[in-house]
């Protein structure tokens, strides 16, 4: 596998050695604070990702050729999960996004249960939307 | 919604200090296995664990040789048919129906409501009214909503009072001359209260309207005498009543059943078929097209036998004590808001300033199996102005220790989130 982006490597180092749910939850809440904010206008219906039980918004923009995503949610732990997803996909192009194994990434972090099919937190829907946006922007 | 409120703290009388044990817990291998895995199962309104006799019945049916029902002259076919029909008889007795001919097997409560919405369609004229309540599960709402669309009917929604009961004063004016059918739940899967069925059914009867009762939750908490209740139709799912999934029961009073048109076509339900035309059996066979879920029906029979062998009063007392403990624990915690005023089986709540999804996440991490979301009652939640809630739902095998673990996990989650 190719090298992880620096922020993702940092996440992996931090999460992989946590012993229990409580520490993982605390760290997720800290990561939640790292999301770049979306303003009120960006929290629009058009930017909403459906398939999530909570509200999730996703915006994509080109920054020096590369695609850059920002995301927000009304649920705090989901914000943490979104931050971990964004850290992992930073710098990936469309092909990189298409090839990304999200389940594997969260499994490495010890968060595999957050991606199980019965979860409706919508991380998979977010990745799907990223792929679509990458194909059209 | 005018009325129905989200209650902050209430006071409840403290329950006995003795730990609440369930004498029936050991009969349920599933609850023991989940416990051994560190899982506390409190999502019983979604589906229930099965007692040993149900597992044994399923195993024996397959292990001793399976066969299709109602069609073969051979011994295995005979045996399967007898066992299958024996369940119909048990259901008849369980519900105090007049005869086994009043019991139709479906694939679930949901299918029963769809069967009714198609089978009764011919009785409706444009402008007629179907009356439902604001607390209906999607299963007892959407089939009627879609029938209303197909036929140009008006769907009338009965409002709830502050406690979470269908408002009888409003019902008395809304159930009117154009009402052809009333479809209401016996016990809400969100609000946990017995609905005033005798009064509602009397209102429907006075207008000559058919009545449909959703017993999916009600059937699980007490035995109901349908003859005494006097509804036209009543439906529930086996899987919530400790039986296998894939089986539902539709009771129809014989005169009401006779008004249903056939809705699915195929084997078993047909008496005589030609290429261009066919004649069909009356209910119940005429409403059971194709091979039924034979093992599941036999398993439901075993579940009813098991329940029949329990001390009904003891079960009710245990469930009531658990429920009181659940309410007392929720009331003792700051910022916990109950939905309505649940009386039995379950409680839904939200916590001030805490997102349901966050609570769900952390309860799940701690091995607490509860349901979070809008519980298949989105319009109800919309009226409550809530995105969803956490639901704790109880079964006869739950005990005080399950609740203790739930509350410990809730406290730990809230500690992190606030
Ligand atoms: C009140 C109520 N009605 C109907 C149903 C539908 O039952 P099933 O999904 O088994 O058909 C449920 C199950 O969640 C329910 O709680």
């Amino acid at each position: 596998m190719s090298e992880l982006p620096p922020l993702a490597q940092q996440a992996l180092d931090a999460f992989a050695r946590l012993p229990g749910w409580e520490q993982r939850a605390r760290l997720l809440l800290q990561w939640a604070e790292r999301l770049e904010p979306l303003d009120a206008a960006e929290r629009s219906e058009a930017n909403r990702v459906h398939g999530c039980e909570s509200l999730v918004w996703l915006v994509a923009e080109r920054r020096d050729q590369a695609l850059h995503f920002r995301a927000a949610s009304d649920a705090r732990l989901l914000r943490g999960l979104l931050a971990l997803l964004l850290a992992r996909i930073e710098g990936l192009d469309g092909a990189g996004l298409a090839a990304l194994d999200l389940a594997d990434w969260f499994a490495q972090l010890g968060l595999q249960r957050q991606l199980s099919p019965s979860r409706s937190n919508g991380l998979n829907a977010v990745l799907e939307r990223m792929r679509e946006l990458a194909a059209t922007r | 919604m005018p009325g129905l409120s989200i209650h902050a703290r209430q006071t409840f009388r403290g329950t006995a200090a003795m730990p609440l044990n369930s004498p029936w817990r050991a009969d349920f291998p599933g609850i023991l296995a989940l416990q051994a895995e560190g899982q506390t199962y409190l999502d019983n309104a979604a589906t229930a664990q099965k007692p040993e006799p149900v597992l044994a019945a399923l195993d024996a049916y397959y292990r001793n040789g399976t066969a299709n029902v109602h069609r073969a002259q051979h011994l295995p076919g005979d045996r399967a048919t007898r066992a299958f029909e024996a369940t119909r008889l048990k259901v008849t007795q369980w519900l105090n129906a007049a005869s086994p001919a009043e019991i139709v097997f479906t694939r679930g409560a949901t299918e029963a409501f769809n069967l009714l919405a198609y089978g009764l369609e011919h009785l409706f004229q444009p402008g007629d009214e179907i009356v439902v309540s604001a607390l209906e599960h999607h299963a007892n709402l959407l089939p009627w909503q879609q029938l209303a669309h197909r036929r140009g009917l008006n769907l009338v929604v009965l409002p709830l009072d502050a406690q979470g009961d269908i408002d009888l004063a409003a019902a008395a004016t809304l159930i009117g001359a154009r009402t052809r059918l009333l479809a209401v739940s016996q016990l809400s899967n969100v609000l946990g209260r017995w609905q005033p069925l005798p009064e509602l059914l009397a209102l429907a009867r006075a207008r000559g309207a058919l009545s449909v009762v959703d017993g999916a939750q009600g059937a699980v908490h007490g035995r109901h005498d349908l003859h005494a209740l006097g509804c036209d139709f009543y439906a529930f799912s086996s899987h919530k009543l400790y039986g296998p999934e894939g089986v539902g029961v539709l009771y129809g009073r014989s005169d009401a059943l006779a008004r249903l048109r056939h809705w699915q076509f195929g084997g078993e339900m047909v008496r005589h078929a030609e290429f261009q035309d066919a004649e069909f059996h009356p209910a119940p066979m005429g409403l059971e097209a194709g091979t039924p879920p034979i093992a599941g029906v036999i398993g439901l029979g075993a579940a009813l036998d098991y329940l029949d062998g329990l001390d009904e009063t003891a079960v009710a007392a245990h469930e009531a004590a658990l429920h009181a403990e659940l309410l007392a624990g929720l009331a003792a915690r700051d910022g916990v808001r109950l939905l309505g005023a649940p009386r039995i089986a379950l409680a839904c709540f939200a916590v001030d300033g805490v997102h349901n999804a966050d609570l769900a996440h952390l309860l799940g991490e701690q091995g607490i199996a509860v349901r979070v979301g809008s519980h298949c009652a989105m319009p109800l939640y919309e009226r409550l102005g809530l995105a969803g809630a956490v639901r704790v739902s109880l079964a006869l095998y739950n005990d005080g220790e399950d609740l203790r673990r739930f509350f410990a996990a809730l406290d730990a989650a809230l500690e992190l989130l606030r």
Side-chain angles (χ1 to χ4, degrees):
Chain A
M1 213 213 245
S2 56
E3 221 170 89
L4 286 174
L7 204 55
Q9 187 60 52
Q10 194 187 324
L12 189 58
D13 294 341
F15 275 89
R17 57 190 167 73
L18 291 179
W21 72 270
E22 209 162 343
Q23 290 85 346
R24 271 199 304 278
R26 281 188 203 287
L27 195 55
L28 262 184
L29 290 172
Q30 287 171 20
W31 274 72
E33 305 301 317
R34 296 190 176 198
L35 282 182
E36 293 172 66
L38 293 194
D39 61 36
E42 288 172 316
R43 294 172 181 246
S44 65
E45 190 52 35
N47 287 335
R48 260 196 72 191
V49 181
H50 293 273
C52 313
E53 210 156 74
S54 320
L55 298 171
V56 175
W57 299 270
L58 180 70
V59 294
E61 61 222 343
R62 291 260 166 217
R63 284 190 191 168
D64 326 317
Q65 292 310 307
L67 207 53
H68 183 77
F69 291 99
R70 285 176 300 135
S73 169
D74 58 340
R76 287 170 67 198
L77 290 158
L78 184 50
R79 287 207 286 276
L81 295 169
L82 289 169
L84 292 170
L85 171 60
L86 293 178
R88 177 65 187 86
I89 58 111
E90 186 59 34
L92 291 185
D93 57 10
L97 277 176
L100 181 65
D101 183 346
L102 199 56
D104 179 65
W105 169 236
F106 281 97
Q108 288 181 49
L109 296 169
L111 295 165
Q112 55 276 14
R113 286 197 46 247
Q114 301 312 320
L115 274 205
S116 77
S118 77
R119 285 288 150 132
S120 41
N121 64 19
L123 286 176
N124 279 309
V126 172
L127 181 62
E128 267 321 299
R129 180 65 164 272
M130 287 175 165
R131 287 173 175 153
E132 274 168 39
L133 292 171
T136 54
R137 297 268 147 118
Chain B
M1 163 163 312
L4 180 56
S5 55
I6 309 173
H7 292 257
R9 281 193 185 227
Q10 300 177 350
T11 37
F12 290 93
R13 253 171 276 122
T15 39
M18 280 238 301
L20 269 170
N21 291 317
S22 166
W24 310 286
R25 193 173 177 91
D27 299 339
F28 290 79
I31 199 76
L32 300 179
L34 288 173
Q35 182 182 338
E37 204 187 341
Q39 292 291 315
T40 301
Y41 190 76
L42 292 166
D43 193 15
N44 298 285
T47 197
Q49 308 302 322
K50 320 304 174 199
E52 187 63 52
V54 169
L55 305 185
L58 293 173
D59 187 70
Y61 167 66
Y62 286 121
R63 203 170 290 285
N64 297 334
T66 164
N68 213 325
V69 291
H70 299 143
R71 10 186 127 168
Q73 284 72 42
H74 46 67
L75 174 100
D78 214 36
R79 195 159 56 203
T81 305
R82 271 177 217 279
F84 184 88
E85 289 301 322
T87 297
R88 203 187 301 272
L89 203 58
K90 286 169 196 172
V91 174
T92 308
Q93 287 155 359
W94 184 261
L95 299 175
N96 194 28
S99 98
E102 295 187 328
I103 305 300
V104 180
F105 290 121
T106 64
R107 268 79 183 172
T110 300
E111 196 185 65
F113 300 120
N114 280 283
L115 181 163
L116 291 174
Y118 285 106
L120 297 171
E121 181 166 344
H122 66 282
L123 297 175
F124 292 88
Q125 301 305 323
D128 284 349
E129 290 173 1
I130 293 178
V131 178
V132 298
S133 86
L135 55 71
E136 297 312 315
H137 188 279
H138 294 162
N140 192 34
L141 168 63
L142 302 182
W144 306 119
Q145 175 199 84
Q146 295 301 308
L147 169 59
H149 289 180
R150 291 199 297 278
R151 280 268 159 166
L153 315 178
N154 296 321
L155 190 73
V156 176
V157 182
L158 301 178
L160 310 180
D161 66 18
Q163 249 88 55
D165 292 335
I166 297 170
D167 185 329
L168 282 174
T173 60
L174 289 170
I175 297 174
R178 297 234 55 180
T179 303
R180 291 281 167 278
L181 184 137
L182 169 73
V184 287
S185 175
Q186 182 178 30
L187 174 63
S188 158
N189 66 317
V190 176
L191 298 166
R193 292 176 66 89
W194 295 111
Q195 295 304 310
L197 286 185
E199 293 85 349
L200 289 166
L201 293 173
L203 290 171
R205 232 179 345 259
R207 297 296 186 173
L210 286 166
S211 55
V212 176
V213 174
D214 175 356
Q217 297 296 336
V220 187
H221 302 281
R223 270 181 91 149
H224 307 289
D225 181 334
L226 297 193
H227 179 74
L229 188 60
C231 57
D232 291 305
F233 298 102
Y234 182 94
F236 68 90
S237 284
S238 153
H239 70 92
K240 294 183 202 278
L241 190 60
Y242 308 106
E245 58 274 13
V247 179
V249 167
L250 171 64
Y251 155 87
R253 238 207 359 261
S254 56
D255 54 328
L257 266 189
R259 304 179 72 180
L260 284 168
R261 293 239 170 112
H262 296 92
W263 79 302
Q264 284 184 346
F265 303 89
E268 297 226 36
M269 53 79 65
V270 67
R271 180 163 50 209
H272 178 78
E274 293 170 17
F275 278 116
Q276 304 301 338
D277 226 332
E279 284 168 26
F280 308 113
H281 288 299
M285 287 288 284
L287 298 172
E288 296 176 2
T291 298
I294 303 168
V297 166
I298 292 171
L300 170 60
L304 293 180
D305 282 344
Y306 170 78
L307 292 170
D308 210 22
L310 304 185
D311 175 348
E312 207 184 329
T313 326
V315 172
H318 176 70
E319 289 194 359
L322 275 179
H323 194 254
E325 200 157 302
L326 172 61
L327 292 189
L330 290 173
R333 282 161 176 82
D334 275 331
V336 170
R337 290 171 177 277
L338 276 185
L339 267 61
R343 294 292 303 279
I344 186 167
L346 57 87
C348 281
F349 66 93
V351 182
D352 290 341
V354 174
H355 198 292
N356 293 315
D358 289 330
L359 253 189
H361 181 132
L362 295 186
L363 290 173
E365 286 275 38
Q366 297 175 79
I368 305 295
V370 292
R371 190 68 180 278
V372 180
S374 54
H375 309 115
C376 296
M378 283 185 198
L380 172 59
Y381 276 95
E382 196 147 310
R383 286 209 177 169
L384 290 170
L386 285 174
V390 179
R391 181 181 70 190
V392 178
S393 57
L394 308 166
L396 55 84
Y397 45 68
N398 284 122
D399 60 16
E401 186 55 23
D402 288 337
L403 290 180
R404 195 198 57 72
R405 282 195 296 268
F406 162 70
F407 281 118
L410 178 63
D411 289 339
L414 292 179
E415 162 97 35
L416 267 166
L417 291 170
R418 301 205 276 214

